[in-house]
Structure formats: C-alpha cells, structure tokens
Amino acid sequence: MIVYNDTVILDDTVEQEWLDWMKNVHIPLVMSTGYFSSYRLLTIVDSPNDGITYCVQFNADTIEQFQEYYSKHLFKHQDLHQAQFNERFVLFNTLMKTVD
C-alpha cells in the first residue's frame, strides 16, 4: 500500500476553520478522485514545532494510482489549500510504502 502523507503545521488561530475545511471540503474532494481507498486525519501529540500539527494520510493500493492523482489533481488541490489558508500554515508531504 502507498501512503501519501501531508503534515501541516497551523497557526493556533486557524485550527477549527482548517479542521472544518479539511473534513467537509478537502478530504471529500481528494477521495472523490477515486485514486485512494481510505484516509486518516491525525494530530501530532508531541510536536516540537510552534503551532498545532496535523497529518492527513491517503492510502492508495498502487504507486500508479498515486502517480495518476499526482499528475491530474495534486497541484490543483494544493492551490485550493493555499488560497484558503494563505500564510497561516507550513506544509510538507511524504510518500511512503507499507512494509509487509
């Protein structure tokens, strides 16, 4: 399984707005592409960063599914996130593969 992980460090003042937007807009939008079979939304309990840190993980069955998402949707979705929360977050992403 391929895990696409976004780690987001938020300004304290935007946490609830961001959570609502993620749950009601962003995650449904990503899942509607059909490239991911499931997702998880997590908070980092012991983050060394200032602000509040969340991870959103999307699971794809194959690397090809992720690559299709990447080429067709990723940058468009990142632009929407940027427009909604401009300069109130730091984001980095990681692509991982589960080990059997």
Side-chain angles (χ1 to χ4, degrees), residues 70 75 77 86 91 98:
Y70 182 91
F75 297 107
H77 292 170
N86 187 28
L91 181 142
T98 57

Side-chain angles (χ1 to χ4, degrees), residues 10-56:
L10 300 167
D11 286 354
D12 297 345
T13 60
V14 74
E15 180 183 16
Q16 193 56 55
E17 178 188 354
W18 183 87
L19 275 173
D20 291 343
W21 189 81
M22 290 302 287
K23 291 176 183 178
N24 297 307
V25 177
H26 183 73
I27 291 171
L29 183 64
V30 172
M31 293 303 293
S32 74
T33 66
Y35 295 110
F36 299 103
S37 56
S38 61
Y39 72 90
R40 290 171 43 165
L41 178 60
L42 308 126
T43 186
I44 307 290
V45 176
D46 62 349
S47 176
N49 303 304
D50 290 337
I52 300 161
T53 305
Y54 284 90
C55 292
V56 184

